[in-house]
Amino acid sequence: MLNLERLRTLDALSRHGSVSAAAEGLHVTTSAVSQQLAKLEREVGQQLLARNGRGVRLTDAGRLLAEHASRILSQVELAQADLEAQRGQVAGELRLSAFPTAARGLFPVALSALRREHPALRLRSRELEPARGIAGVVRGDLDLAVVLDWYNKPMPLPDGLVKAPVLDDPADVALPAGHRLADRDEVDLGEFAEDEWITWGEGEFCHEWLMFTLRSRGVEPIVGHRAAETHTQLKLVQAGLGVCIAPLLGRHPVPEGVVMVPLKQRVRRHVYVVWRADADRRPSIRAAVRALQEAAAKVG
């Protein structure tokens, strides 16, 4: 009889590619992963792992069993979802992630409401950029991820995921109070050809969106500063070091000396929550989606 937890460990190694990454994804030690895999090899009577430099790789038998393990675990997920749905109880553990401004702007309200209304539900949350949150849901490390895309640059979703809208988040340009355009009712992105931009980290989805959008308006962006957090960006604007895009979610309180000016393009980002289709019937998933949407309704 194959042990489910050992199959879960093999599946994690297959998905993550290393013992240390599998251990991090499973929230156990590397020693525990190695022990589980050694026991699984004894159970099946075949070598599942081979040395590969300083790491390991799956043997042919290991890859074959890992493929079966993925399907078995998916069926177990479906069974658990069906049982939860039949029972109708919001209970167990729910693991969530959100990108930084959503973690600040939505999680405090949504998670406190979930804890108050469903005391048998254990909540575990993390702050992750959208791509990492989606990857965590695909791998099974997370149950839900709050992610985003922009009105003119959608983020592709892998097969097997379900999504629900949370809010459309309008964005303005944040300017120092003394900026030449600070007293305008609205501005065009093309007017910032000579300004330094304060943007997100290199390679982050929002940074790539800003570069794409500015170039589509005929502006070759001058990037002066990078910061992951909206509040850090706004403090740099306050210091007169540049301008930035400031979505509504998570930007309050706006620092003194910073002016928000709407864009003629009516820039918005779409915030939504994703989860695996095989967990779709879990009452805890439904309760969390509802709590996030109710929290979003209070943003303003």
Side-chain angles (χ1 to χ4, degrees):
M1 182 70 71
L2 293 171
N3 180 281
L4 190 62
E5 286 308 308
R6 288 166 200 154
L7 289 179
R8 197 181 304 280
T9 304
L10 179 65
D11 178 65
L13 178 67
S14 175
R15 289 185 285 103
H16 290 281
S18 71
V19 170
S20 59
E24 182 179 356
L26 294 168
H27 306 291
V28 299
T29 65
T30 54
S31 175
V33 169
S34 298
Q35 290 173 18
Q36 289 280 55
L37 293 172
K39 290 177 182 178
L40 185 59
E41 284 187 324
R42 290 196 294 270
E43 284 177 352
V44 301
Q46 295 190 60
Q47 184 180 0
L48 303 176
L49 303 177
R51 300 300 304 175
N52 184 31
R54 294 185 177 182
V56 296
R57 62 173 176 82
L58 292 174
T59 63
D60 289 345
R63 286 195 297 272
L64 178 64
L65 186 55
E67 290 173 4
H68 283 291
S70 177
R71 290 193 292 271
I72 290 167
L73 293 169
S74 180
Q75 284 299 120
V76 169
E77 181 85 40
L78 281 169
Q80 290 174 334
D82 284 345
L83 286 170
E84 279 191 32
Q86 186 184 55
R87 199 166 54 233
Q89 295 178 346
V90 179
E93 182 174 271
L94 196 67
R95 300 158 300 168
L96 310 91
S97 77
F99 58 95
T101 50
R104 185 194 317 115
L106 297 177
F107 270 6
V109 174
L111 300 190
S112 62
L114 280 170
R115 174 172 286 184
R116 183 173 60 255
E117 295 168 14
H118 307 289
L121 183 64
R122 297 188 306 278
L123 298 166
R124 302 288 181 267
S125 71
R126 302 176 64 186
E127 187 177 283
L128 291 175
E129 289 298 325
R132 292 187 62 196
I134 289 171
V137 173
V138 170
R139 291 194 305 263
D141 300 337
L142 295 167
D143 299 303
L144 289 166
V146 180
V147 300
L148 65 89
D149 58 25
W150 292 84
Y151 73 104
N152 60 341
K153 193 173 178 64
M155 176 177 283
L157 281 184
D159 292 339
L161 296 188
V162 179
K163 72 176 184 178
V166 175
L167 82 158
D168 276 353
D169 190 22
D172 301 320
V173 179
L175 309 174
H179 192 278
R180 69 186 187 283
L181 302 176
D183 60 351
R184 293 272 294 276
D185 292 331
E186 60 180 15
V187 290
D188 188 284
L189 283 173
E191 297 180 86
F192 294 95
E194 305 302 320
D195 287 273
E196 286 195 33
W197 282 92
I198 298 160
T199 180
W200 296 267
E202 183 76 39
E204 289 187 16
F205 183 72
C206 288
H207 170 78
E208 298 303 320
W209 164 80
L210 181 60
M211 300 299 101
F212 166 81
T213 303
L214 287 170
R215 285 167 181 152
S216 72
R217 301 295 298 176
V219 175
E220 182 55 38
I222 304 169
V223 176
H225 306 277
R226 300 179 187 274
E229 262 291 342
T230 299
H231 278 193
T232 304
Q233 293 184 9
L234 292 177
K235 292 297 285 186
L236 292 170
V237 172
Q238 182 186 39
L241 296 172
V243 302
C244 76
I245 295 290
L248 179 62
L249 180 63
R251 78 183 181 198
H252 294 295
V254 176
E256 184 178 351
V258 174
V259 176
M260 298 293 171
V261 181
L263 282 158
K264 292 179 181 177
Q265 291 84 4
R266 295 296 184 262
V267 170
R268 289 180 178 271
R269 60 182 186 177
H270 309 301
V271 179
Y272 51 98
V273 58
V274 300
W275 64 95
R276 294 185 305 282
D278 55 17
D280 193 47
R281 295 187 63 197
R282 288 177 59 187
S284 55
I285 295 282
R286 294 298 172 185
V289 172
R290 186 166 55 252
L292 286 163
Q293 290 171 335
E294 290 173 354
K298 300 175 183 177
V299 172

